[in-house]
Amino acid sequence: MPRLKHDLEQQGLPATVRAEGDNVFIDYTPLATGTGYVAPAVMLEFGARSTGEPSEPRVIHCGAAAPYCERASDCCGA
């Protein structure tokens, strides 16, 4: 979790990280309000079903974020 917290702070993203058992949650400030059906959070699952793969850092690109970015290079490390 320290790496996630550091990266969120470094990027100036309005989000927090918390752990519950084998899960890590990233709670974020939504860009718009909706019906409340989907919570503004991402859950990362770890535990017995997790294989540990991939075992090296990988860049993840978020295609859904692109319309909200001023420049493509601002989005999720793109």
Side-chain angles (χ1 to χ4, degrees):
M1 280 192 6
R3 173 65 189 261
L4 289 172
K5 288 180 181 180
H6 174 266
D7 289 350
L8 290 170
E9 289 172 5
Q10 185 178 27
Q11 296 293 323
L13 298 172
T16 59
V17 179
R18 62 186 166 87
E20 291 183 14
D22 290 336
N23 299 327
V24 174
F25 292 85
I26 301 172
D27 300 298
Y28 59 90
T29 303
L31 295 175
T33 56
T35 63
Y37 181 73
V38 177
V42 174
M43 178 178 67
L44 306 174
E45 292 183 278
F46 301 93
R49 288 179 274 180
S50 176
T51 65
E53 298 293 331
S55 59
E56 70 272 350
R58 301 230 178 146
V59 176
I60 299 172
H61 299 280
C62 179
Y68 301 103
C69 297
E70 291 181 24
R71 299 184 323 247
S73 62
D74 292 339
C75 294
C76 307

